[in-house]
Amino acid sequence: MKWIFKKANEYITGSRNNDYGNAYDNFDDITIGWNVIMKRALETHGYITPAHSTLMMDWLKTCRILRTIDHEDSWIDKAGYTALGFDFVEYEKLSVEEKIKQTLGKKSENK
């Protein structure tokens, strides 16, 4: 099991550090944005929704891209989080009955 910590340390001090900068500084940037998102989520909804989580993940990618603006994978991730956030907002507008129908429809498609 100790090998996993060695490998994680290699990532953190190697490629991740090169791509995203000092870990503490990167996480500090992430924390600032997440606090803003959580504050507004609590003010507007009283809790954090899955859509708010997509905004938080998008912010994480934004903080990383600021260090490596040409990191294509991070741009793709950001686009994915935006799409998921919109889908989640639309899903939450559905009635319970519509959600059940949608879920049952997906299960029958997977058979």
Side-chain angles (χ1 to χ4, degrees):
M1 179 80 116
K2 291 180 182 180
W3 68 268
I4 198 165
F5 297 110
K6 183 178 179 187
K7 190 58 129 177
N9 188 56
E10 289 172 15
Y11 286 175
I12 292 166
T13 59
S15 62
R16 299 286 193 309
N17 192 57
N18 292 336
D19 289 343
Y20 309 131
N22 175 275
Y24 183 88
D25 293 340
N26 185 249
F27 277 84
D28 188 48
D29 291 345
I30 293 165
T31 301
I32 291 166
W34 282 16
N35 277 318
V36 171
I37 294 165
M38 287 189 287
K39 178 182 175 187
R40 296 292 179 240
L42 295 172
E43 287 174 356
T44 60
H45 290 78
Y47 56 94
I48 297 169
T49 69
H52 292 115
S53 294
T54 66
L55 293 173
M56 293 166 78
M57 294 304 296
D58 178 82
W59 179 250
L60 179 143
K61 289 296 179 175
T62 298
C63 291
R64 289 182 170 183
I65 286 174
L66 290 171
R67 303 284 182 171
T68 52
I69 197 76
D70 62 342
H71 199 260
E72 184 178 306
D73 186 60
S74 290
W75 284 105
I76 293 167
D77 286 347
K78 282 177 63 64
Y81 292 132
T82 297
L84 284 171
F86 182 78
D87 285 349
F88 294 166
V89 168
E90 292 299 302
Y91 181 76
E92 288 176 356
K93 290 179 184 176
L94 298 176
S95 68
V96 172
E97 292 80 15
E98 291 170 320
K99 288 178 183 177
I100 291 169
K101 286 180 189 176
Q102 192 177 76
T103 302
L104 292 176
K106 287 181 184 176
K107 286 183 180 178
S108 65
E109 289 173 8
N110 292 332
K111 289 184 180 182

